[in-house]
Amino acid sequence: MNNDNNYFSGLFGGVKSLCVGLKTTMREYFTKKITEQYPENRNELQMFDRFRGSLVMPHNENNEHKCVGCGLCQMACPNDTIKVESEFYEDADGKKKKRLTRYEYNLGSCMFCQLCTRACPHGAITFDQSFENAVFDRARLVRVLNQPGSHVAEKPVVKKPAPAAPTAKAGEANA
């Protein structure tokens, strides 16, 4: 009699487990789907407010940016994604000042940790919401941000394949 109780309790336990699984499956089957149709909805696609795309240096209408070339973002970067080059110059009053000459950002090695933007005392750099960063050449992932238009992703260049060389016919002999 004891074996019969074990058999039936195991059987009812299995049926109960099956019903719980089917209940979950049926609930998910009838819920509204929220799948994004990605390439087709590119124009109306909005990313989350806190999404970190790629690093940009905003320029104003006079093509000026806020970066002074202090290098704090470069020091805060854990994997040397940012390279800041600056120089000293004398202004009209004879004071020595520092200015940015080149701000290089390697998108391919960036961890998007936002340590650089938090370290910047002037708010000169920020993350935008661009997410289409696929390229065929890694050199295109290195961007110079202190140039105007550097935050705009370039259109990929499609190269046409070279025409194939004419092949010799089977009956012709090589001279």
Side-chain angles (χ1 to χ4, degrees):
M1 201 65 167
N2 195 11
N3 286 338
D4 289 340
N5 286 339
N6 286 339
Y7 174 76
F8 286 115
S9 66
L11 181 68
F12 288 127
V15 169
K16 180 182 174 188
S17 175
L18 178 66
C19 289
V20 169
L22 284 174
K23 182 178 100 175
T24 304
T25 301
M26 296 313 275
R27 183 181 64 230
E28 290 301 316
Y29 181 76
F30 290 110
T31 57
K32 186 176 186 256
K33 307 300 182 264
I34 54 171
T35 304
E36 295 283 346
Q37 300 298 324
Y38 166 56
E40 291 84 19
N41 70 346
R42 198 176 277 169
N43 294 333
E44 62 268 0
L45 185 64
Q46 294 292 322
M47 297 305 292
F48 302 105
D49 293 336
R50 293 174 43 181
F51 178 77
R52 299 176 194 152
S54 61
L55 195 66
V56 293
M57 182 180 292
H59 289 70
N60 63 11
E61 60 276 350
N62 297 331
N63 195 21
E64 298 168 341
H65 51 78
K66 297 179 186 177
C67 185
V68 295
C70 64
L72 290 175
C73 54
Q74 179 179 356
M75 289 186 274
C77 185
N79 56 351
D80 296 330
T81 298
I82 299 171
K83 303 222 181 333
V84 177
E85 295 175 11
S86 57
E87 66 182 6
F88 286 99
Y89 71 99
E90 286 190 27
D91 63 354
D93 299 335
K95 294 181 184 177
K96 287 197 171 217
K97 291 192 172 185
K98 195 178 208 183
R99 72 174 151 209
L100 179 70
T101 56
R102 184 175 176 87
Y103 192 98
E104 192 173 284
Y105 166 63
N106 187 350
L107 179 65
S109 65
C110 184
M111 297 187 314
F112 308 100
C113 62
Q114 207 173 14
L115 291 174
C116 56
T117 58
R118 292 182 183 176
C120 183
H122 303 285
I125 53 176
T126 183
F127 280 97
D128 67 354
Q129 294 198 341
S130 65
F131 58 90
E132 294 179 334
N133 297 317
V135 293
F136 288 107
D137 183 19
R138 286 187 180 190
R140 294 184 62 154
L141 292 175
V142 177
R143 299 179 180 165
V144 180
L145 297 185
N146 61 325
Q147 295 174 348
S150 60
H151 65 282
V152 179
E154 297 177 16
K155 299 272 185 197
V157 178
V158 179
K159 294 182 180 178
K160 293 182 180 178
T167 58
K169 293 182 182 176
E172 295 177 6
N174 292 339

